Each structure stands twice: as structure tokens, then as C-alpha cells.
PDB file of all heavy atoms in Angstrom:
ATOM      1  N   TYR O   1      18.394   8.318  22.976  1.00 90.00           N
ATOM      2  CA  TYR O   1      18.472   6.880  23.232  1.00 90.00           C
ATOM      3  C   TYR O   1      17.343   6.149  22.520  1.00 90.00           C
ATOM      4  O   TYR O   1      17.548   5.080  21.923  1.00 90.00           O
ATOM      5  CB  TYR O   1      18.387   6.608  24.735  1.00 90.00           C
ATOM      6  CG  TYR O   1      19.715   6.584  25.449  1.00 90.00           C
ATOM      7  CD1 TYR O   1      20.269   7.742  25.964  1.00 90.00           C
ATOM      8  CD2 TYR O   1      20.425   5.400  25.615  1.00 90.00           C
ATOM      9  CE1 TYR O   1      21.489   7.731  26.631  1.00 90.00           C
ATOM     10  CE2 TYR O   1      21.644   5.374  26.273  1.00 90.00           C
ATOM     11  CZ  TYR O   1      22.169   6.544  26.793  1.00 90.00           C
ATOM     12  OH  TYR O   1      23.371   6.522  27.447  1.00 90.00           O
ATOM     13  N   ASP O   2      16.121   6.715  22.602  1.00 90.00           N
ATOM     14  CA  ASP O   2      14.943   6.071  22.021  1.00 90.00           C
ATOM     15  C   ASP O   2      15.102   5.910  20.514  1.00 90.00           C
ATOM     16  O   ASP O   2      14.871   4.828  19.956  1.00 90.00           O
ATOM     17  CB  ASP O   2      13.702   6.910  22.342  1.00 90.00           C
ATOM     18  CG  ASP O   2      12.412   6.127  22.154  1.00 90.00           C
ATOM     19  OD1 ASP O   2      12.480   4.919  21.860  1.00 90.00           O
ATOM     20  OD2 ASP O   2      11.332   6.720  22.321  1.00 90.00           O
ATOM     21  N   VAL O   3      15.497   6.982  19.846  1.00 92.00           N
ATOM     22  CA  VAL O   3      15.682   6.930  18.397  1.00 92.00           C
ATOM     23  C   VAL O   3      16.774   5.916  18.043  1.00 92.00           C
ATOM     24  O   VAL O   3      16.646   5.142  17.081  1.00 92.00           O
ATOM     25  CB  VAL O   3      16.038   8.323  17.845  1.00 92.00           C
ATOM     26  CG1 VAL O   3      16.445   8.235  16.371  1.00 92.00           C
ATOM     27  CG2 VAL O   3      14.859   9.270  18.006  1.00 92.00           C
ATOM     28  N   GLY O   4      17.831   5.899  18.846  1.00 91.00           N
ATOM     29  CA  GLY O   4      18.912   4.948  18.594  1.00 91.00           C
ATOM     30  C   GLY O   4      18.446   3.511  18.701  1.00 91.00           C
ATOM     31  O   GLY O   4      18.803   2.665  17.860  1.00 91.00           O
ATOM     32  N   TYR O   5      17.623   3.234  19.716  1.00 92.00           N
ATOM     33  CA  TYR O   5      17.138   1.860  19.876  1.00 92.00           C
ATOM     34  C   TYR O   5      16.076   1.508  18.838  1.00 92.00           C
ATOM     35  O   TYR O   5      15.965   0.344  18.432  1.00 92.00           O
ATOM     36  CB  TYR O   5      16.599   1.653  21.291  1.00 92.00           C
ATOM     37  CG  TYR O   5      17.690   1.281  22.268  1.00 92.00           C
ATOM     38  CD1 TYR O   5      17.972   2.085  23.356  1.00 92.00           C
ATOM     39  CD2 TYR O   5      18.438   0.132  22.093  1.00 92.00           C
ATOM     40  CE1 TYR O   5      18.989   1.754  24.254  1.00 92.00           C
ATOM     41  CE2 TYR O   5      19.448  -0.212  22.968  1.00 92.00           C
ATOM     42  CZ  TYR O   5      19.714   0.601  24.051  1.00 92.00           C
ATOM     43  OH  TYR O   5      20.722   0.261  24.908  1.00 92.00           O
ATOM     44  N   VAL O   6      15.291   2.484  18.401  1.00 93.00           N
ATOM     45  CA  VAL O   6      14.335   2.225  17.321  1.00 93.00           C
ATOM     46  C   VAL O   6      15.083   1.828  16.049  1.00 93.00           C
ATOM     47  O   VAL O   6      14.668   0.912  15.329  1.00 93.00           O
ATOM     48  CB  VAL O   6      13.446   3.461  17.071  1.00 93.00           C
ATOM     49  CG1 VAL O   6      12.686   3.319  15.754  1.00 93.00           C
ATOM     50  CG2 VAL O   6      12.456   3.638  18.210  1.00 93.00           C
ATOM     51  N   LYS O   7      16.204   2.503  15.789  1.00 93.00           N
ATOM     52  CA  LYS O   7      17.016   2.155  14.616  1.00 93.00           C
ATOM     53  C   LYS O   7      17.622   0.765  14.779  1.00 93.00           C
ATOM     54  O   LYS O   7      17.671  -0.025  13.832  1.00 93.00           O
ATOM     55  CB  LYS O   7      18.119   3.196  14.425  1.00 93.00           C
ATOM     56  CG  LYS O   7      17.628   4.549  13.956  1.00 93.00           C
ATOM     57  CD  LYS O   7      18.803   5.515  13.796  1.00 93.00           C
ATOM     58  CE  LYS O   7      18.333   6.869  13.298  1.00 93.00           C
ATOM     59  NZ  LYS O   7      19.475   7.838  13.186  1.00 93.00           N
ATOM     60  N   ARG O   8      18.105   0.480  15.989  1.00 93.00           N
ATOM     61  CA  ARG O   8      18.776  -0.803  16.206  1.00 93.00           C
ATOM     62  C   ARG O   8      17.798  -1.961  16.160  1.00 93.00           C
ATOM     63  O   ARG O   8      18.083  -3.016  15.588  1.00 93.00           O
ATOM     64  CB  ARG O   8      19.507  -0.785  17.552  1.00 93.00           C
ATOM     65  CG  ARG O   8      20.189  -2.111  17.886  1.00 93.00           C
ATOM     66  CD  ARG O   8      21.018  -2.017  19.157  1.00 93.00           C
ATOM     67  NE  ARG O   8      22.127  -1.087  18.994  1.00 93.00           N
ATOM     68  CZ  ARG O   8      23.059  -0.885  19.925  1.00 93.00           C
ATOM     69  NH1 ARG O   8      23.006  -1.528  21.075  1.00 93.00           N
ATOM     70  NH2 ARG O   8      24.046  -0.045  19.715  1.00 93.00           N
ATOM     71  N   TYR O   9      16.628  -1.770  16.766  1.00 93.00           N
ATOM     72  CA  TYR O   9      15.633  -2.837  16.820  1.00 93.00           C
ATOM     73  C   TYR O   9      14.383  -2.462  16.030  1.00 93.00           C
ATOM     74  O   TYR O   9      13.263  -2.640  16.490  1.00 93.00           O
ATOM     75  CB  TYR O   9      15.283  -3.136  18.281  1.00 93.00           C
ATOM     76  CG  TYR O   9      16.463  -3.625  19.081  1.00 93.00           C
ATOM     77  CD1 TYR O   9      17.043  -2.838  20.062  1.00 93.00           C
ATOM     78  CD2 TYR O   9      17.030  -4.870  18.828  1.00 93.00           C
ATOM     79  CE1 TYR O   9      18.141  -3.270  20.786  1.00 93.00           C
ATOM     80  CE2 TYR O   9      18.125  -5.319  19.543  1.00 93.00           C
ATOM     81  CZ  TYR O   9      18.677  -4.515  20.524  1.00 93.00           C
ATOM     82  OH  TYR O   9      19.766  -4.953  21.233  1.00 93.00           O
ATOM     83  N   TRP O  10      14.615  -1.934  14.827  1.00 94.00           N
ATOM     84  CA  TRP O  10      13.510  -1.480  13.982  1.00 94.00           C
ATOM     85  C   TRP O  10      12.564  -2.618  13.629  1.00 94.00           C
ATOM     86  O   TRP O  10      11.370  -2.387  13.405  1.00 94.00           O
ATOM     87  CB  TRP O  10      14.056  -0.849  12.697  1.00 94.00           C
ATOM     88  CG  TRP O  10      14.789  -1.826  11.815  1.00 94.00           C
ATOM     89  CD1 TRP O  10      16.115  -2.114  11.813  1.00 94.00           C
ATOM     90  CD2 TRP O  10      14.198  -2.675  10.821  1.00 94.00           C
ATOM     91  NE1 TRP O  10      16.409  -3.082  10.883  1.00 94.00           N
ATOM     92  CE2 TRP O  10      15.249  -3.449  10.253  1.00 94.00           C
ATOM     93  CE3 TRP O  10      12.904  -2.866  10.346  1.00 94.00           C
ATOM     94  CZ2 TRP O  10      15.039  -4.379   9.249  1.00 94.00           C
ATOM     95  CZ3 TRP O  10      12.683  -3.795   9.347  1.00 94.00           C
ATOM     96  CH2 TRP O  10      13.747  -4.539   8.804  1.00 94.00           C
ATOM     97  N   VAL O  11      13.073  -3.837  13.581  1.00 94.00           N
ATOM     98  CA  VAL O  11      12.234  -4.979  13.213  1.00 94.00           C
ATOM     99  C   VAL O  11      11.097  -5.178  14.211  1.00 94.00           C
ATOM    100  O   VAL O  11      10.058  -5.756  13.880  1.00 94.00           O
ATOM    101  CB  VAL O  11      13.098  -6.256  13.091  1.00 94.00           C
ATOM    102  CG1 VAL O  11      13.605  -6.709  14.458  1.00 94.00           C
ATOM    103  CG2 VAL O  11      12.320  -7.376  12.417  1.00 94.00           C
ATOM    104  N   TYR O  12      11.251  -4.686  15.439  1.00 93.00           N
ATOM    105  CA  TYR O  12      10.180  -4.720  16.434  1.00 93.00           C
ATOM    106  C   TYR O  12       9.533  -3.350  16.595  1.00 93.00           C
ATOM    107  O   TYR O  12       8.307  -3.245  16.703  1.00 93.00           O
ATOM    108  CB  TYR O  12      10.727  -5.161  17.798  1.00 93.00           C
ATOM    109  CG  TYR O  12      11.474  -6.462  17.777  1.00 93.00           C
ATOM    110  CD1 TYR O  12      12.743  -6.566  18.334  1.00 93.00           C
ATOM    111  CD2 TYR O  12      10.929  -7.595  17.186  1.00 93.00           C
ATOM    112  CE1 TYR O  12      13.449  -7.762  18.306  1.00 93.00           C
ATOM    113  CE2 TYR O  12      11.621  -8.795  17.159  1.00 93.00           C
ATOM    114  CZ  TYR O  12      12.884  -8.870  17.724  1.00 93.00           C
ATOM    115  OH  TYR O  12      13.570 -10.052  17.691  1.00 93.00           O
ATOM    116  N   ALA O  13      10.350  -2.288  16.629  1.00 93.00           N
ATOM    117  CA  ALA O  13       9.841  -0.956  16.953  1.00 93.00           C
ATOM    118  C   ALA O  13       8.937  -0.383  15.864  1.00 93.00           C
ATOM    119  O   ALA O  13       7.833   0.103  16.152  1.00 93.00           O
ATOM    120  CB  ALA O  13      11.014  -0.011  17.216  1.00 93.00           C
ATOM    121  N   VAL O  14       9.399  -0.422  14.618  1.00 94.00           N
ATOM    122  CA  VAL O  14       8.613   0.179  13.533  1.00 94.00           C
ATOM    123  C   VAL O  14       7.271  -0.538  13.355  1.00 94.00           C
ATOM    124  O   VAL O  14       6.218   0.116  13.293  1.00 94.00           O
ATOM    125  CB  VAL O  14       9.427   0.199  12.223  1.00 94.00           C
ATOM    126  CG1 VAL O  14       8.557   0.662  11.055  1.00 94.00           C
ATOM    127  CG2 VAL O  14      10.650   1.106  12.371  1.00 94.00           C
ATOM    128  N   PRO O  15       7.247  -1.881  13.250  1.00 94.00           N
ATOM    129  CA  PRO O  15       5.941  -2.548  13.162  1.00 94.00           C
ATOM    130  C   PRO O  15       5.055  -2.268  14.365  1.00 94.00           C
ATOM    131  O   PRO O  15       3.827  -2.194  14.221  1.00 94.00           O
ATOM    132  CB  PRO O  15       6.310  -4.038  13.077  1.00 94.00           C
ATOM    133  CG  PRO O  15       7.692  -4.069  12.538  1.00 94.00           C
ATOM    134  CD  PRO O  15       8.356  -2.865  13.110  1.00 94.00           C
ATOM    135  N   PHE O  16       5.649  -2.093  15.562  1.00 94.00           N
ATOM    136  CA  PHE O  16       4.836  -1.781  16.736  1.00 94.00           C
ATOM    137  C   PHE O  16       4.103  -0.459  16.559  1.00 94.00           C
ATOM    138  O   PHE O  16       2.891  -0.360  16.784  1.00 94.00           O
ATOM    139  CB  PHE O  16       5.714  -1.720  17.988  1.00 94.00           C
ATOM    140  CG  PHE O  16       5.063  -0.980  19.130  1.00 94.00           C
ATOM    141  CD1 PHE O  16       3.962  -1.518  19.786  1.00 94.00           C
ATOM    142  CD2 PHE O  16       5.524   0.269  19.515  1.00 94.00           C
ATOM    143  CE1 PHE O  16       3.332  -0.832  20.819  1.00 94.00           C
ATOM    144  CE2 PHE O  16       4.912   0.959  20.549  1.00 94.00           C
ATOM    145  CZ  PHE O  16       3.811   0.401  21.202  1.00 94.00           C
ATOM    146  N   TYR O  17       4.827   0.589  16.150  1.00 94.00           N
ATOM    147  CA  TYR O  17       4.176   1.890  15.981  1.00 94.00           C
ATOM    148  C   TYR O  17       3.155   1.861  14.844  1.00 94.00           C
ATOM    149  O   TYR O  17       2.104   2.518  14.929  1.00 94.00           O
ATOM    150  CB  TYR O  17       5.238   2.975  15.733  1.00 94.00           C
ATOM    151  CG  TYR O  17       6.018   3.329  16.972  1.00 94.00           C
ATOM    152  CD1 TYR O  17       7.401   3.155  17.036  1.00 94.00           C
ATOM    153  CD2 TYR O  17       5.377   3.829  18.095  1.00 94.00           C
ATOM    154  CE1 TYR O  17       8.114   3.471  18.183  1.00 94.00           C
ATOM    155  CE2 TYR O  17       6.081   4.153  19.248  1.00 94.00           C
ATOM    156  CZ  TYR O  17       7.450   3.975  19.280  1.00 94.00           C
ATOM    157  OH  TYR O  17       8.142   4.285  20.417  1.00 94.00           O
ATOM    158  N   VAL O  18       3.431   1.109  13.797  1.00 95.00           N
ATOM    159  CA  VAL O  18       2.463   0.984  12.688  1.00 95.00           C
ATOM    160  C   VAL O  18       1.194   0.292  13.174  1.00 95.00           C
ATOM    161  O   VAL O  18       0.075   0.747  12.898  1.00 95.00           O
ATOM    162  CB  VAL O  18       3.092   0.215  11.510  1.00 95.00           C
ATOM    163  CG1 VAL O  18       2.027  -0.122  10.468  1.00 95.00           C
ATOM    164  CG2 VAL O  18       4.213   1.033  10.867  1.00 95.00           C
ATOM    165  N   THR O  19       1.353  -0.815  13.890  1.00 95.00           N
ATOM    166  CA  THR O  19       0.173  -1.539  14.386  1.00 95.00           C
ATOM    167  C   THR O  19      -0.588  -0.719  15.416  1.00 95.00           C
ATOM    168  O   THR O  19      -1.806  -0.835  15.523  1.00 95.00           O
ATOM    169  CB  THR O  19       0.579  -2.895  14.990  1.00 95.00           C
ATOM    170  OG1 THR O  19       1.580  -2.694  16.002  1.00 95.00           O
ATOM    171  CG2 THR O  19       1.103  -3.834  13.929  1.00 95.00           C
ATOM    172  N   TYR O  20       0.129   0.125  16.168  1.00 93.00           N
ATOM    173  CA  TYR O  20      -0.550   0.991  17.146  1.00 93.00           C
ATOM    174  C   TYR O  20      -1.480   1.978  16.440  1.00 93.00           C
ATOM    175  O   TYR O  20      -2.620   2.192  16.858  1.00 93.00           O
ATOM    176  CB  TYR O  20       0.492   1.748  17.976  1.00 93.00           C
ATOM    177  CG  TYR O  20      -0.113   2.555  19.107  1.00 93.00           C
ATOM    178  CD1 TYR O  20      -0.446   1.956  20.316  1.00 93.00           C
ATOM    179  CD2 TYR O  20      -0.359   3.912  18.959  1.00 93.00           C
ATOM    180  CE1 TYR O  20      -1.001   2.693  21.350  1.00 93.00           C
ATOM    181  CE2 TYR O  20      -0.917   4.662  19.981  1.00 93.00           C
ATOM    182  CZ  TYR O  20      -1.234   4.046  21.173  1.00 93.00           C
ATOM    183  OH  TYR O  20      -1.803   4.771  22.199  1.00 93.00           O
ATOM    184  N   VAL O  21      -0.976   2.572  15.345  1.00 94.00           N
ATOM    185  CA  VAL O  21      -1.814   3.490  14.560  1.00 94.00           C
ATOM    186  C   VAL O  21      -2.997   2.737  13.958  1.00 94.00           C
ATOM    187  O   VAL O  21      -4.146   3.226  13.976  1.00 94.00           O
ATOM    188  CB  VAL O  21      -0.976   4.171  13.459  1.00 94.00           C
ATOM    189  CG1 VAL O  21      -1.883   4.970  12.520  1.00 94.00           C
ATOM    190  CG2 VAL O  21       0.077   5.084  14.073  1.00 94.00           C
ATOM    191  N   LEU O  22      -2.743   1.550  13.421  1.00 94.00           N
ATOM    192  CA  LEU O  22      -3.828   0.741  12.851  1.00 94.00           C
ATOM    193  C   LEU O  22      -4.865   0.397  13.912  1.00 94.00           C
ATOM    194  O   LEU O  22      -6.075   0.364  13.634  1.00 94.00           O
ATOM    195  CB  LEU O  22      -3.261  -0.548  12.248  1.00 94.00           C
ATOM    196  CG  LEU O  22      -2.554  -0.424  10.903  1.00 94.00           C
ATOM    197  CD1 LEU O  22      -1.971  -1.773  10.493  1.00 94.00           C
ATOM    198  CD2 LEU O  22      -3.533   0.071   9.829  1.00 94.00           C
ATOM    199  N   LEU O  23      -4.412   0.152  15.127  1.00 91.00           N
ATOM    200  CA  LEU O  23      -5.333  -0.191  16.216  1.00 91.00           C
ATOM    201  C   LEU O  23      -6.297   0.956  16.500  1.00 91.00           C
ATOM    202  O   LEU O  23      -7.498   0.743  16.725  1.00 91.00           O
ATOM    203  CB  LEU O  23      -4.531  -0.535  17.478  1.00 91.00           C
ATOM    204  CG  LEU O  23      -5.291  -1.247  18.592  1.00 91.00           C
ATOM    205  CD1 LEU O  23      -5.837  -2.589  18.116  1.00 91.00           C
ATOM    206  CD2 LEU O  23      -4.376  -1.447  19.801  1.00 91.00           C
ATOM    207  N   VAL O  24      -5.787   2.181  16.477  1.00 91.00           N
ATOM    208  CA  VAL O  24      -6.649   3.355  16.684  1.00 91.00           C
ATOM    209  C   VAL O  24      -7.659   3.481  15.549  1.00 91.00           C
ATOM    210  O   VAL O  24      -8.854   3.746  15.776  1.00 91.00           O
ATOM    211  CB  VAL O  24      -5.797   4.634  16.791  1.00 91.00           C
ATOM    212  CG1 VAL O  24      -6.697   5.870  16.917  1.00 91.00           C
ATOM    213  CG2 VAL O  24      -4.863   4.549  17.987  1.00 91.00           C
ATOM    214  N   VAL O  25      -7.184   3.266  14.323  1.00 93.00           N
ATOM    215  CA  VAL O  25      -8.081   3.340  13.165  1.00 93.00           C
ATOM    216  C   VAL O  25      -9.180   2.287  13.276  1.00 93.00           C
ATOM    217  O   VAL O  25     -10.368   2.577  13.055  1.00 93.00           O
ATOM    218  CB  VAL O  25      -7.286   3.148  11.857  1.00 93.00           C
ATOM    219  CG1 VAL O  25      -8.232   3.032  10.667  1.00 93.00           C
ATOM    220  CG2 VAL O  25      -6.312   4.305  11.651  1.00 93.00           C
ATOM    221  N   PHE O  26      -8.817   1.062  13.636  1.00 93.00           N
ATOM    222  CA  PHE O  26      -9.798  -0.013  13.787  1.00 93.00           C
ATOM    223  C   PHE O  26     -10.789   0.293  14.911  1.00 93.00           C
ATOM    224  O   PHE O  26     -11.969  -0.037  14.814  1.00 93.00           O
ATOM    225  CB  PHE O  26      -9.100  -1.349  14.057  1.00 93.00           C
ATOM    226  CG  PHE O  26      -8.621  -2.038  12.812  1.00 93.00           C
ATOM    227  CD1 PHE O  26      -7.301  -2.447  12.686  1.00 93.00           C
ATOM    228  CD2 PHE O  26      -9.485  -2.297  11.760  1.00 93.00           C
ATOM    229  CE1 PHE O  26      -6.859  -3.090  11.544  1.00 93.00           C
ATOM    230  CE2 PHE O  26      -9.054  -2.933  10.612  1.00 93.00           C
ATOM    231  CZ  PHE O  26      -7.728  -3.335  10.497  1.00 93.00           C
ATOM    232  N   GLN O  27     -10.293   0.905  15.987  1.00 90.00           N
ATOM    233  CA  GLN O  27     -11.173   1.240  17.105  1.00 90.00           C
ATOM    234  C   GLN O  27     -12.275   2.204  16.655  1.00 90.00           C
ATOM    235  O   GLN O  27     -13.462   2.015  16.969  1.00 90.00           O
ATOM    236  CB  GLN O  27     -10.365   1.879  18.238  1.00 90.00           C
ATOM    237  CG  GLN O  27     -11.216   2.331  19.430  1.00 90.00           C
ATOM    238  CD  GLN O  27     -10.427   3.154  20.443  1.00 90.00           C
ATOM    239  OE1 GLN O  27      -9.242   3.393  20.264  1.00 90.00           O
ATOM    240  NE2 GLN O  27     -11.090   3.591  21.486  1.00 90.00           N
ATOM    241  N   LEU O  28     -11.892   3.225  15.911  1.00 91.00           N
ATOM    242  CA  LEU O  28     -12.877   4.199  15.434  1.00 91.00           C
ATOM    243  C   LEU O  28     -13.800   3.579  14.385  1.00 91.00           C
ATOM    244  O   LEU O  28     -15.022   3.822  14.383  1.00 91.00           O
ATOM    245  CB  LEU O  28     -12.151   5.417  14.862  1.00 91.00           C
ATOM    246  CG  LEU O  28     -11.211   6.150  15.837  1.00 91.00           C
ATOM    247  CD1 LEU O  28     -10.569   7.348  15.156  1.00 91.00           C
ATOM    248  CD2 LEU O  28     -11.958   6.580  17.090  1.00 91.00           C
ATOM    249  N   LEU O  29     -13.221   2.771  13.491  1.00 92.00           N
ATOM    250  CA  LEU O  29     -14.028   2.134  12.452  1.00 92.00           C
ATOM    251  C   LEU O  29     -15.051   1.171  13.051  1.00 92.00           C
ATOM    252  O   LEU O  29     -16.209   1.102  12.589  1.00 92.00           O
ATOM    253  CB  LEU O  29     -13.110   1.402  11.477  1.00 92.00           C
ATOM    254  CG  LEU O  29     -13.795   0.679  10.302  1.00 92.00           C
ATOM    255  CD1 LEU O  29     -14.594   1.669   9.464  1.00 92.00           C
ATOM    256  CD2 LEU O  29     -12.754  -0.050   9.447  1.00 92.00           C
ATOM    257  N   LEU O  30     -14.653   0.436  14.079  1.00 90.00           N
ATOM    258  CA  LEU O  30     -15.580  -0.494  14.735  1.00 90.00           C
ATOM    259  C   LEU O  30     -16.776   0.232  15.324  1.00 90.00           C
ATOM    260  O   LEU O  30     -17.927  -0.225  15.210  1.00 90.00           O
ATOM    261  CB  LEU O  30     -14.842  -1.267  15.840  1.00 90.00           C
ATOM    262  CG  LEU O  30     -14.058  -2.505  15.404  1.00 90.00           C
ATOM    263  CD1 LEU O  30     -13.213  -3.033  16.555  1.00 90.00           C
ATOM    264  CD2 LEU O  30     -15.015  -3.593  14.912  1.00 90.00           C
ATOM    265  N   ASN O  31     -16.532   1.364  15.951  1.00 89.00           N
ATOM    266  CA  ASN O  31     -17.644   2.110  16.556  1.00 89.00           C
ATOM    267  C   ASN O  31     -18.546   2.730  15.490  1.00 89.00           C
ATOM    268  O   ASN O  31     -19.763   2.821  15.681  1.00 89.00           O
ATOM    269  CB  ASN O  31     -17.090   3.187  17.491  1.00 89.00           C
ATOM    270  CG  ASN O  31     -16.597   2.597  18.797  1.00 89.00           C
ATOM    271  OD1 ASN O  31     -17.385   2.175  19.641  1.00 89.00           O
ATOM    272  ND2 ASN O  31     -15.286   2.529  18.971  1.00 89.00           N
ATOM    273  N   TYR O  32     -17.961   3.132  14.373  1.00 91.00           N
ATOM    274  CA  TYR O  32     -18.790   3.640  13.274  1.00 91.00           C
ATOM    275  C   TYR O  32     -19.680   2.526  12.724  1.00 91.00           C
ATOM    276  O   TYR O  32     -20.891   2.714  12.515  1.00 91.00           O
ATOM    277  CB  TYR O  32     -17.900   4.200  12.171  1.00 91.00           C
ATOM    278  CG  TYR O  32     -18.676   4.551  10.919  1.00 91.00           C
ATOM    279  CD1 TYR O  32     -19.437   5.710  10.852  1.00 91.00           C
ATOM    280  CD2 TYR O  32     -18.655   3.695   9.819  1.00 91.00           C
ATOM    281  CE1 TYR O  32     -20.174   6.013   9.713  1.00 91.00           C
ATOM    282  CE2 TYR O  32     -19.373   4.003   8.676  1.00 91.00           C
ATOM    283  CZ  TYR O  32     -20.134   5.157   8.618  1.00 91.00           C
ATOM    284  OH  TYR O  32     -20.865   5.463   7.489  1.00 91.00           O
ATOM    285  N   LEU O  33     -19.093   1.335  12.494  1.00 90.00           N
ATOM    286  CA  LEU O  33     -19.873   0.211  11.979  1.00 90.00           C
ATOM    287  C   LEU O  33     -20.932  -0.226  12.974  1.00 90.00           C
ATOM    288  O   LEU O  33     -22.045  -0.609  12.582  1.00 90.00           O
ATOM    289  CB  LEU O  33     -18.933  -0.959  11.666  1.00 90.00           C
ATOM    290  CG  LEU O  33     -17.976  -0.753  10.477  1.00 90.00           C
ATOM    291  CD1 LEU O  33     -16.997  -1.910  10.379  1.00 90.00           C
ATOM    292  CD2 LEU O  33     -18.768  -0.604   9.182  1.00 90.00           C
ATOM    293  N   LEU O  34     -20.599  -0.157  14.289  1.00 88.00           N
ATOM    294  CA  LEU O  34     -21.581  -0.517  15.309  1.00 88.00           C
ATOM    295  C   LEU O  34     -22.774   0.435  15.264  1.00 88.00           C
ATOM    296  O   LEU O  34     -23.940   0.003  15.357  1.00 88.00           O
ATOM    297  CB  LEU O  34     -20.921  -0.479  16.690  1.00 88.00           C
ATOM    298  CG  LEU O  34     -21.829  -0.806  17.873  1.00 88.00           C
ATOM    299  CD1 LEU O  34     -22.317  -2.255  17.787  1.00 88.00           C
ATOM    300  CD2 LEU O  34     -21.102  -0.569  19.191  1.00 88.00           C
ATOM    301  N   MET O  35     -22.506   1.722  15.091  1.00 89.00           N
ATOM    302  CA  MET O  35     -23.582   2.711  15.010  1.00 89.00           C
ATOM    303  C   MET O  35     -24.501   2.421  13.816  1.00 89.00           C
ATOM    304  O   MET O  35     -25.736   2.364  13.955  1.00 89.00           O
ATOM    305  CB  MET O  35     -22.965   4.112  14.873  1.00 89.00           C
ATOM    306  CG  MET O  35     -23.987   5.221  14.647  1.00 89.00           C
ATOM    307  SD  MET O  35     -23.225   6.825  14.327  1.00 89.00           S
ATOM    308  CE  MET O  35     -22.525   6.533  12.703  1.00 89.00           C
TER     309      MET O  35
END
């Protein structure tokens, strides 16, 4: 079901997962820059 809905509503789902990964990267980068 999940894969089917990701395909159907990819315009929301795919950017969400991409931004989620970017958010993790930014979180780690921020702490490195803070150090």
C-alpha cells in the first residue's frame, strides 16, 4: 500500500523523503560548524 501511495502521490512523498535526508545532513553539519 505504501509503495502504491508513494507512486500515486509522488509529488509530496518523494520530496518529503529527500528533505528528510537533507534535514539529517544539516543537523550533523550544524553541530560540526558549532564545534
Side-chain angles (χ1 to χ4, degrees):
Y1 270 88
D2 197 5
V3 171
Y5 274 119
V6 167
K7 289 180 179 178
R8 178 174 296 185
Y9 298 110
W10 65 269
V11 69
Y12 306 129
V14 173
F16 161 69
Y17 287 119
V18 170
T19 55
Y20 186 82
V21 172
L22 284 176
L23 195 61
V24 176
V25 172
F26 277 127
Q27 177 189 0
L28 301 181
L29 181 59
L30 276 171
N31 284 288
Y32 171 77
L33 291 173
L34 179 64
M35 174 186 70

